[in-house]
Amino acid sequence: MTRKREDAEILSQERIAKDIYSMWIRTEAAETAQPGQFISMYTNDGSKLLPRPISICETDREAGSLRVVYRVTGKNTGTEIFSQMKAGDTIPVIGPLGNGFPYERAEGKRVFLMGGGIGVPPVLELAKRMKCDRKQIVVGYRDEETFLRDEFEQNGEVYISTEDGSVGTKGNVMDAIRENALEADIIYACGPTPMLRAIKKYAEENGIECYISLEERMACGIGACLACVCQSKEKDEHSNVHNKRICKDGPVFLSTEVEI
Amino acid sequence: MNMKVNIAGVEWKNPVTVASGTFGSGEEFSEFVDLNRLGAVTTKGVANVPWSGNPTPRVAEVYGGMMNAVGLQNPGIDVFCRRDIPFLRKYDTKIIVNVCGRSTEDYCEVVERLAEEDVDMLEINISCPNVKEGGIAFGQNPKAAEDITKAVKKYARQPVIMKLSPNVTSIAEMAKAVEAGGADAVSLINTITGMKIDINRKTFVLANRTGGVSGPAVHPIAVRMVYEAANAVRVPIIGMGGISTAEDAIEMILAGASAVSVGTANFHNPAVTLEIIDGIERYMEQQGFDSVEAMTGIVK
Ligand SMILES: Cc1cc2nc3c(=O)[nH]c(=O)nc-3n(C[C@H](O)[C@H](O)[C@H](O)COP(=O)(O)OP(=O)(O)OC[C@H]3O[C@@H](n4cnc5c(N)ncnc54)[C@H](O)[C@@H]3O)c2cc1C
Ligand SMILES: Cc1cc2nc3c(=O)[nH]c(=O)nc-3n(C[C@H](O)[C@H](O)[C@H](O)COP(=O)(O)O)c2cc1C
Ligand code: FES
């Protein structure tokens, strides 16, 4: 018995784009957190019981703090409650959870770090930690609200796509790669399933090592309830069927391990 | 003061276990909970062969609760016996193995296999609403429930707890049926069948369309059913459904439960069972109860 749900202190809360918030919290999770891992965030509202899995966007180990960037998905949601909290409040969290991106594998290679929509935030900590030959950060947004862009620009070459074409390439991250004729030896990606499906296909067709971070509804967040499974190519050792738990065995998987 | 309870001849150190399916086989939660402190660990339903379960999404949040349609994904009894029983045996707690199946033969095969194993009790799930072929078919008909209880009892070496479905007209009748079939205890409630629709996508939230509702929202229904079952049978009752505080657990005990299970609340706070155990103890001290038995079913 070594872990617990803790009440993390909110150090700052800021709206950084329409419906997008950035929160720094002081938490024990900061000490070991890896890019691609997530934390479970809970409301104090008893009518909303389940955790909200949110990726680690940045860590400051010395200060014992970490940053999450999240979207308020609608009215009366848990994320709306989070957005109304202020510095000094406490928020129940568990973390870090899951397995992060194996970023050491990028050393000496040309890399794509790809994020789409609310899959953009974890790419920041990944970009900060990664040592590689060519760091190509390819991020996709809906419109001109290109949150975290300045921070990406301090950490690599940045290519942007927007659905409405207001910034960068019109379309998605794959369109941005094509338009800029980019190439990579290894790919790390987080975003909506259709985007990941396209990246997985591209990587496999071109024989590129590719890590993708998957998303699914969760209940426990720690691997016990089997709510959050995805299909695995091989029979999984733990489940003894073709299912892997995204919260525990993922959320980051080698693209060839899973069927999406 | 004594927190011990005796359920069908098995002594638990306190009346609190975890509800099947919400705690795996304990390994993941052991990082958050000292399993030695639990009265018992009830494991996720296990069948004779591995089951893949339902497509995702398998869970949804609802006001004051959740819905699930995991579909009894499990690794099968062989892996369970090889991996999970030895893990749990390291702890000083009772082991209750929850068993599921698609046919009487499936259930009996698992129960027979477990007869050789070092586990303390069996809980037979005849009430899973999320699997078409199995479970619930036995749980909604008194005659079928009695028959499967009898069949299982033939092979069982450990005391048998029959787990009842709330999706019935008379829970008392179901409790009597399994008691007549030889059940050593009954547990209730399993989840209540529900449905949630996404009004933007205009489709069902769960891939399975329907799912089982659990959590605080179902607690009053569970208390009523525990009360009715307790007044219908002599065998001990393990009460569950929406317990998330010591007060909820005490309510269930006063209604007639000899022990309680905590399910969905583990998802909100993985260490909630420990708070519940401590809270029950404090209440007993304050109210001058010297045993859990002395509290069981005193509200008539
Ligand atoms: C590993 C992982 C990392 C994530 N990282 C981020 C991030 O960094 N920033 C961010 O904004 N979002 C992230 N998400 C998505 C985020 O979890 C959901 O947007 C959020 O849970 C929605 O909660 P709500 O309170 O807004 O909505 P509600 O409608 O109140 O949520 C109801 C329930 O559904 C669940 N749910 C709803 N949408 C999703 C979803 N897309 N994925 C999983 N569960 C969902 C909620 O957790 C909750 O249990 C991540 C998801 C996963 C699985
Ligand atoms: C995710 C989940 C999985 C479950 N799996 C099982 C199961 O495998 N076998 C079973 O008998 N009950 C299962 N149940 C039902 C619970 O054991 C319990 O009866 C029910 O959830 C009510 O208790 P609660 O409100 O405290 O969760 C499951 C419940 C949930 C939420
Ligand atoms: S959310 Fe429970 S196993 Fe992943």
Side-chain angles (χ1 to χ4, degrees):
Chain A
M1 204 189 126
T2 49
R3 309 187 72 178
K4 64 174 198 298
R5 194 184 80 163
E6 55 167 327
D7 284 319
E9 185 193 345
I10 298 175
L11 301 172
S12 68
Q13 164 101 279
E14 191 191 346
R15 180 181 172 281
I16 58 170
K18 183 170 180 293
D19 296 331
I20 307 287
Y21 290 77
S22 164
M23 188 193 269
W24 277 96
I25 58 174
R26 181 176 291 126
T27 160
E28 288 165 20
E31 201 168 314
T32 58
Q34 297 293 319
Q37 288 188 301
F38 66 97
I39 60 173
S40 276
M41 295 172 61
Y42 298 80
T43 71
N44 286 310
D45 173 350
S47 74
K48 297 188 195 303
L49 295 176
L50 298 182
R52 271 63 180 163
I54 304 288
S55 299
I56 289 155
C57 169
E58 243 189 301
T59 56
D60 182 344
R61 232 157 127 176
E62 262 149 53
S65 60
L66 66 78
R67 181 189 192 188
V68 287
V69 167
Y70 61 94
R71 167 172 283 143
V72 174
T73 63
K75 266 201 167 349
N76 301 316
T77 56
T79 47
E80 186 187 54
I81 296 178
F82 299 154
S83 74
Q84 291 157 351
M85 299 176 88
K86 302 207 158 42
D89 292 347
T90 59
I91 180 163
V93 303
I94 294 177
L97 296 170
N99 299 308
F101 288 105
Y103 54 87
E104 18 4 277
R105 295 194 57 83
E107 218 165 305
K109 294 182 187 153
R110 298 171 302 166
V111 185
F112 287 160
L113 292 94
M114 306 175 82
I118 207 59
V120 164
V123 175
L124 181 56
E125 181 70 13
L126 186 60
K128 286 176 68 178
R129 297 229 192 155
M130 187 173 285
K131 290 190 184 63
C132 61
D133 183 43
R134 200 169 160 200
K135 202 181 290 176
Q136 305 164 93
I137 302 170
V138 190
V139 279
Y141 300 91
R142 288 181 185 165
D143 49 34
E144 75 280 349
E145 302 240 25
T146 52
F147 54 91
L148 302 178
R149 180 183 181 170
D150 296 347
E151 282 139 293
F152 284 130
E153 277 167 353
Q154 291 160 27
N155 286 286
E157 302 165 37
V158 179
Y159 302 89
I160 291 182
S161 68
T162 49
E163 283 167 29
D164 66 0
S166 54
V167 184
T169 304
K170 181 173 164 58
N172 58 34
V173 285
M174 290 307 298
D175 298 320
I177 288 176
R178 272 182 230 113
E179 189 173 283
N180 296 290
L182 304 177
E183 286 181 10
D185 311 308
I186 187 165
I187 299 176
Y188 299 85
C190 183
T193 307
M195 168 185 139
L196 296 180
R197 208 173 276 139
I199 294 172
K200 172 175 154 74
K201 184 160 173 275
Y202 168 85
E204 284 162 22
E205 279 168 6
N206 293 285
I208 305 172
E209 182 174 341
C210 174
Y211 296 90
I212 52 179
S213 176
L214 304 185
E215 209 177 273
E216 190 46 79
R217 307 284 154 142
M218 297 185 180
C220 70
I222 61 172
C225 75
L226 310 180
C228 67
V229 299
C230 63
Q231 262 192 53
S232 56
K233 188 153 278 168
E234 307 292 328
K235 198 203 280 181
D236 174 63
E237 195 193 313
H238 179 268
S239 72
N240 203 25
V241 293
H242 286 69
N243 282 342
K244 284 185 181 289
R245 300 162 296 178
I246 291 177
C247 69
K248 180 88 178 177
D249 307 316
V252 176
F253 294 98
L254 185 60
S255 71
T256 49
E257 269 183 301
V258 291
E259 316 269 11
I260 56 171
Chain B
M1 198 185 59
N2 183 359
M3 287 284 280
K4 286 181 186 155
V5 292
N6 186 307
I7 309 294
V10 179
E11 189 178 272
W12 305 9
K13 63 175 69 161
N14 65 56
V16 179
T17 184
V18 288
S20 175
T22 64
F23 210 76
S25 286
E27 190 182 347
E28 295 81 14
F29 270 92
S30 67
E31 286 191 69
F32 297 89
V33 183
D34 178 4
L35 302 182
N36 294 306
R37 290 205 51 207
L38 299 177
V41 170
T42 309
T43 56
K44 169 78 187 163
V46 62
N48 55 338
V49 293
W51 289 12
S52 301
N54 287 328
T56 57
R58 291 177 169 185
V59 292
E61 191 176 66
V62 299
Y63 197 90
M66 65 175 288
M67 285 176 36
N68 92 83
V70 170
L72 296 174
Q73 180 187 323
N74 77 87
I77 189 67
D78 289 338
V79 168
F80 179 84
C81 290
R82 183 160 16 99
R83 178 184 63 199
D84 298 352
I85 297 174
F87 170 80
L88 280 171
R89 252 313 60 116
K90 292 187 298 190
Y91 295 90
D92 176 22
T93 186
K94 299 299 173 195
I95 304 174
I96 304 175
V97 181
N98 182 286
V99 177
C100 57
R102 294 191 167 98
S103 65
T104 306
E105 294 72 42
D106 287 358
Y107 283 99
C108 291
E109 190 182 330
V110 179
V111 168
E112 187 174 19
R113 176 74 202 278
L114 286 166
E116 317 289 313
E117 297 286 336
D118 185 12
V119 300
D120 300 290
M121 306 184 88
L122 309 180
E123 181 178 57
I124 312 298
N125 178 9
I126 53 164
S127 46
C128 181
N130 301 324
V131 179
K132 265 191 227 108
E133 313 90 325
I136 195 72
F138 300 100
Q140 287 180 327
N141 175 320
K143 178 71 173 53
E146 183 178 340
D147 289 348
I148 185 135
T149 310
K150 276 188 188 146
V152 159
K153 277 293 288 178
K154 275 201 203 114
Y155 295 94
R157 287 261 187 88
Q158 298 88 351
V160 169
I161 306 161
M162 296 303 289
K163 183 161 179 183
L164 302 183
S165 170
N167 303 306
V168 295
T169 313
S170 168
I171 197 76
E173 200 184 333
M174 294 304 299
K176 280 183 188 156
V178 297
E179 185 179 52
D184 301 292
V186 299
S187 60
L188 69 154
I189 60 175
N190 207 314
T191 54
I192 303 174
T193 309
M195 180 180 280
K196 186 174 166 76
I197 288 170
D198 182 328
I199 62 164
N200 296 314
R201 289 170 44 242
K202 299 177 195 68
T203 184
F204 308 99
V205 170
L206 297 180
N208 190 51
R209 301 184 173 199
T210 60
V213 183
S214 62
V218 309
H219 184 65
I221 301 171
V223 172
R224 186 265 297 177
M225 290 197 161
V226 164
Y227 177 84
E228 289 177 0
N231 285 295
V233 296
R234 287 162 173 274
V235 294
I237 310 263
I238 302 168
M240 70 191 93
I243 296 177
S244 47
T245 62
E247 290 72 20
D248 297 338
I250 292 160
E251 220 183 305
M252 205 69 106
I253 294 168
L254 296 177
S258 297
V260 294
S261 306
V262 179
T264 301
N266 294 307
F267 301 152
H268 186 63
N269 178 0
V272 71
T273 42
L274 305 183
E275 291 172 15
I276 291 173
I277 294 164
D278 292 341
I280 296 173
E281 192 165 6
R282 266 197 311 277
Y283 175 85
M284 287 172 62
E285 225 161 58
Q286 282 160 7
Q287 301 282 327
F289 286 111
D290 52 17
S291 71
V292 177
E293 204 187 333
M295 291 199 288
T296 296
I298 60 168
V299 174
K300 292 286 180 206

